[in-house]
Amino acid sequence: MENLKSLIRSIPDYPKPGIMFRDVTTLFGDARGLRAAISAMAEPYAGARVDAVAGIEARGFILGGAVADRL
């Protein structure tokens, strides 16, 4: 998990002071890291009957679709 965290860029004070923005586009650019992240999100539900996966907001649409495909 620490390895995945290293693939997520942190941008301090964006969009305003006091906010730490986590930019996952750097994770999306690393194929092995993205596969590992999708596997980690899907793993707790492996073998379960999943009828729907919700991907909230722009990054969630990308990750939610990938997790749904994995499940």
Side-chain angles (χ1 to χ4, degrees):
M1 189 61 77
E2 232 11 78
N3 191 24
L4 288 178
K5 287 181 182 180
S6 72
L7 295 174
I8 299 172
R9 182 171 58 155
S10 298
I11 303 171
D13 298 321
Y14 180 81
K16 62 183 184 179
I19 305 256
M20 180 67 73
F21 180 73
R22 306 293 183 189
D23 179 18
V24 294
T25 58
T26 49
L27 172 66
F28 292 168
D30 185 285
R32 290 172 67 185
L34 182 58
R35 276 193 300 273
I38 293 164
S39 292
M41 288 185 282
E43 192 269 324
Y45 306 100
R49 181 164 187 245
V50 177
D51 293 321
V53 174
I56 309 300
E57 61 83 35
R59 294 166 292 226
F61 294 151
I62 295 167
L63 294 170
V67 169
D69 180 65
R70 180 70 51 96
L71 295 173

